[in-house]
């Protein structure tokens, strides 16, 4: 019997927006690694973010933890949007979130403001 709902082959429709900040990291690559650590309440679809802290080995995570206004802005987002990764590349630093399908993919003005503020902290280091 043939499967009535076959799985798709090839690339899936998953997208991710990357915000690139031009910054020479030099040998201090670990200074530019950070990830949000979320304190949440609830389960499944009703899960909400209560507070945000940054986890990372370098000075960027410390600087982001000190910006309470930024962390309040992130806490107002959904759990998926509040999960933010900051990681260095060859001659820049990338800010990204989780993968989305083609229906949910998009950046709101609030998310853009959050990423812009993170980029400002990256530039100041």
């Amino acid at each position: 019997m043939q499967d009535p709902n076959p799985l798709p082959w090839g690339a899936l429709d998953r997208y991710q927006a990357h915000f690139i900040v031009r910054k020479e990291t030099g040998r201090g690559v670990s200074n530019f690694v950070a990830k949000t650590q979320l304190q949440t309440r609830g389960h499944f679809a009703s899960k909400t973010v209560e507070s945000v802290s940054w986890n990372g080995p370098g000075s960027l995570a410390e600087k982001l933890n000190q910006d309470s206004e930024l962390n309040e802005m992130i806490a107002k987002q959904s759990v998926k949007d509040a999960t933010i990764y900051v990681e260095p590349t060859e001659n820049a630093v990338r800010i990204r979130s989780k993968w989305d399908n083609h229906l949910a993919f998009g950046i709101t003005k609030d998310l853009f403001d959050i990423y812009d503020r993170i980029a400002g902290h990256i530039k100041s280091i």
Side-chain angles (χ1 to χ4, degrees), residues 1-9:
M1 179 169 197
Q2 187 173 357
D3 185 6
N5 299 317
L7 292 174
W9 292 92

Side-chain angles (χ1 to χ4, degrees), residues 39-41 48-52 75:
Q39 296 288 359
T40 59
R41 176 183 52 216
T48 57
V49 179
E50 286 188 333
S51 66
V52 177

Side-chain angles (χ1 to χ4, degrees), residues 14-22 83-90 92-100 105-107 111-112 115-116 118-119 122:
R14 298 286 185 253
Y15 303 96
Q16 192 176 51
H18 291 232
F19 290 81
I20 306 297
V21 181
R22 298 247 184 252
T83 305
I84 300 172
Y85 303 89
V86 180
E87 52 206 14
T89 60
E90 289 181 19
V93 179
R94 175 177 44 205
I95 305 167
R96 65 177 179 85
S97 188
K98 289 187 167 186
W99 292 89
D100 277 332
F105 181 71
I107 299 296
L111 275 177
F112 182 80
Y115 293 155
D116 188 49
I118 294 169
I122 291 169

Side-chain angles (χ1 to χ4, degrees), residues 7-125:
L7 292 174
W9 292 92
L12 297 176
D13 63 337
R14 298 286 185 253
Y15 303 96
Q16 192 176 51
H18 291 232
F19 290 81
I20 306 297
V21 181
R22 298 247 184 252
K23 178 76 174 178
E24 278 299 325
T25 58
R27 293 189 180 266
V29 172
S30 64
N31 279 334
F32 296 96
V33 176
K35 179 187 179 298
T36 53
Q37 180 104 20
L38 306 176
Q39 296 288 359
T40 59
R41 176 183 52 216
H43 297 288
F44 306 113
S46 66
K47 186 180 260 189
T48 57
V49 179
E50 286 188 333
S51 66
V52 177
S53 63
W54 289 87
N55 202 4
S59 56
L60 178 62
E62 293 173 15
K63 195 164 215 157
L64 293 172
N65 276 323
Q66 293 171 358
D67 190 348
S68 59
E69 187 176 336
L70 170 66
N71 294 333
E72 288 173 13
M73 290 167 60
I74 296 171
K76 293 177 186 174
Q77 302 300 314
S78 67
V79 173
K80 184 190 69 60
D81 289 338
T83 305
I84 300 172
Y85 303 89
V86 180
E87 52 206 14
T89 60
E90 289 181 19
N91 57 354
V93 179
R94 175 177 44 205
I95 305 167
R96 65 177 179 85
S97 188
K98 289 187 167 186
W99 292 89
D100 277 332
N101 66 19
H102 70 285
L103 299 173
F105 181 71
I107 299 296
T108 64
K109 182 178 180 342
D110 292 335
L111 275 177
F112 182 80
D113 291 340
I114 289 169
Y115 293 155
D116 188 49
R117 195 167 182 131
I118 294 169
H121 287 297
I122 291 169
K123 285 286 197 179
S124 70
I125 293 178

